[in-house]
Amino acid sequence: MEYRQLGATGTRVSELCFGTWRFGRRTNDVLETDEDDAHELLDAFADHGGNFIDSANIYGDPNGTSESYIGSWLETRDREKFVLTSKVYFEYDEDNPNGSGLSRTHIRNQIDKTLDNLGTDYLDLYYIHRWDEDTPIEETLSALTGLVEDGRVNYLGASTMAAWQLTKALWKADINDYQRFDVVQPLFHAGYYKDVEDYLSVAADQDLAVCPYSPLAGGFLTGKYTREDPDDPKSVQAPDGSRGSFDDRFERFYLSERGWKVLDEIRAVADEVDATPAQVSLRWLMDQDAFTCVPIIGARTVDQLEENVAAAAVSITDDQHDRITDARFNEDGVRWGH
């Protein structure tokens, strides 16, 4: 993989970021990725030039397991060669009335736990995982700015929120001389744009890097799912063990008329460039020209990781890129509904 600037910052990251939300995660009592498998995946990512690793304080069971897996892996690596991220907001300690949110108290408590789990004294990028309606954004930004000033965090990021909330946070940072967000992490993929369009417009205008999560629509854009009923976009045949076969959020989040139309075009482009649908889907994101886009890939096996990383070697033309974009619209030029 090659490297690109992380938005307006001076830091360079690999073209793809590796997401570790599966590390230590249990779904229906099934452990998705244990520590040995996590280390194997991180080895493979690093061997391909990957240096950008994404985590969060609540990933894994118990909370912090993902960070701990990364920390044990880093014991035999040069920490300075990697760009590490984590996040704060969701409930970490249900017995603590201050165990969630974006208060100064919770942020300061969590950064210490995160750094301890990772076995490092600084974090390259710290995201707020969601917007906290109960804490003034000035308090949150002030606390985060303090982490930057004392050297525990290099850059700040924001995950999913409304466009107006992101705009407000940037404005408050500017007028109060707080550290502003340099990176955003929305749900964004080729089949999902309408609901995040304004958010991405803010990112483009403010020169923020975009690191979308679920860039393959939970596996839907890999092409391994087939539509059973042409009149029902929710009708899908899912391979055994795939997310579509055990995660009810899959249907709610990813299955739509728009999604199937986009997938058809992605499959057509993949055939033309001798690539897989997953690789074309990732390439479509990486080739965004309005902002720096670094998709966060997740993999349960090294083979899946190898396929995703190979997207860095895939090329699609502007016309092919536009065809995928235009598939989000119906024949009347109107965006397909969910």
Side-chain angles (χ1 to χ4, degrees):
M1 285 183 283
E2 297 181 356
Y3 301 90
R4 50 181 59 181
Q5 296 297 131
L6 188 62
T9 78
T11 293
R12 295 175 63 79
V13 296
S14 49
E15 295 174 281
L16 294 168
C17 178
F18 186 51
T20 64
W21 69 278
R22 285 193 176 98
F23 287 8
R25 173 186 172 89
R26 291 187 179 275
T27 302
N28 297 331
D29 289 329
V30 176
L31 180 61
E32 296 198 27
T33 304
D34 64 21
E35 188 166 13
D36 288 341
D37 289 339
H39 288 186
E40 185 178 13
L41 288 163
L42 289 167
D43 283 341
F45 184 66
D47 288 347
H48 283 282
N51 74 334
F52 196 14
I53 301 171
D54 180 84
S55 190
N57 64 333
I58 52 116
Y59 289 171
D61 183 12
N63 289 333
T65 299
S66 172
E67 293 174 333
S68 295
Y69 285 4
I70 297 168
S72 60
W73 178 77
L74 280 171
E75 291 176 359
T76 59
R77 296 275 179 168
D78 183 349
R79 187 265 178 265
E80 293 185 1
K81 290 184 178 180
F82 297 94
V83 178
L84 304 181
T85 87
S86 194
K87 309 178 189 74
V88 61
Y89 167 75
F90 286 111
E91 184 175 75
Y92 191 92
D93 182 359
E94 63 181 11
D95 296 324
N96 182 352
N98 293 303
S100 63
L102 296 175
S103 68
R104 181 176 285 107
T105 298
H106 185 60
I107 288 172
R108 287 180 173 175
N109 287 341
Q110 289 305 307
I111 189 62
D112 289 337
K113 289 184 175 69
T114 285
L115 295 179
D116 184 60
N117 288 337
L118 290 169
T120 183
D121 57 5
Y122 72 97
L123 196 63
D124 296 279
L125 173 61
Y126 203 27
Y127 289 100
I128 60 170
H129 215 157
R130 291 294 186 272
W131 182 269
D132 184 354
E133 296 182 353
D134 297 322
T135 302
I137 188 61
E138 293 91 342
E139 177 179 338
T140 298
L141 291 171
S142 174
L144 293 171
T145 298
L147 300 184
V148 175
E149 290 175 344
D150 67 19
R152 285 186 284 177
V153 172
N154 288 342
Y155 302 110
L156 303 179
S159 189
T160 300
M161 62 181 62
W164 71 263
Q165 292 168 330
L166 177 59
T167 301
K168 178 179 180 178
L170 293 170
W171 175 64
K172 290 290 188 178
D174 289 345
I175 65 172
N176 290 291
D177 198 27
Y178 295 140
Q179 189 76 22
R180 71 190 336 248
F181 298 127
D182 287 301
V183 186
V184 292
Q185 188 180 126
L187 172 63
F188 175 39
H189 55 73
Y192 183 88
Y193 183 77
K194 180 180 180 180
D195 300 292
V196 78
E197 184 174 6
D198 290 342
Y199 184 100
L200 294 176
S201 294
V202 175
D205 179 73
Q206 295 295 304
D207 199 14
L208 308 180
V210 177
C211 297
Y213 69 88
S214 200
L216 299 178
F220 176 72
L221 294 180
T222 63
K224 62 186 176 184
Y225 299 94
T226 56
R227 184 171 180 168
E228 293 184 321
D229 183 350
D231 296 321
D232 181 9
K234 301 295 187 182
S235 65
V236 62
Q237 182 175 348
D240 290 340
S242 63
R243 190 176 308 172
S245 68
F246 64 76
D247 190 343
D248 63 0
R249 294 186 306 166
F250 182 85
E251 177 179 323
R252 292 187 288 113
F253 283 12
Y254 305 119
L255 297 182
S256 66
E257 197 66 49
R258 176 176 58 191
W260 288 109
K261 295 294 184 183
V262 169
L263 178 57
D264 286 344
E265 199 60 55
I266 285 172
R267 282 171 166 152
V269 172
D271 287 342
E272 294 165 11
V273 300
D274 193 24
T276 68
Q279 291 163 352
V280 169
S281 298
L282 292 171
R283 188 75 255 175
W284 182 88
L285 285 169
M286 295 158 69
D287 287 348
Q288 296 293 311
D289 57 9
F291 43 77
T292 302
C293 189
V294 183
I296 301 173
I297 58 173
R300 282 182 284 175
T301 68
V302 171
D303 285 344
Q304 289 177 345
L305 180 65
E306 300 268 357
E307 178 187 356
N308 290 344
V309 168
V314 171
S315 296
I316 62 175
T317 66
D318 290 343
D319 177 68
Q320 290 168 327
H321 192 278
D322 290 345
R323 281 164 46 196
I324 294 171
T325 302
D326 293 344
R328 294 197 298 254
F329 298 81
N330 64 22
E331 59 270 18
D332 296 320
V334 179
R335 290 190 182 92
W336 292 100
H338 291 291

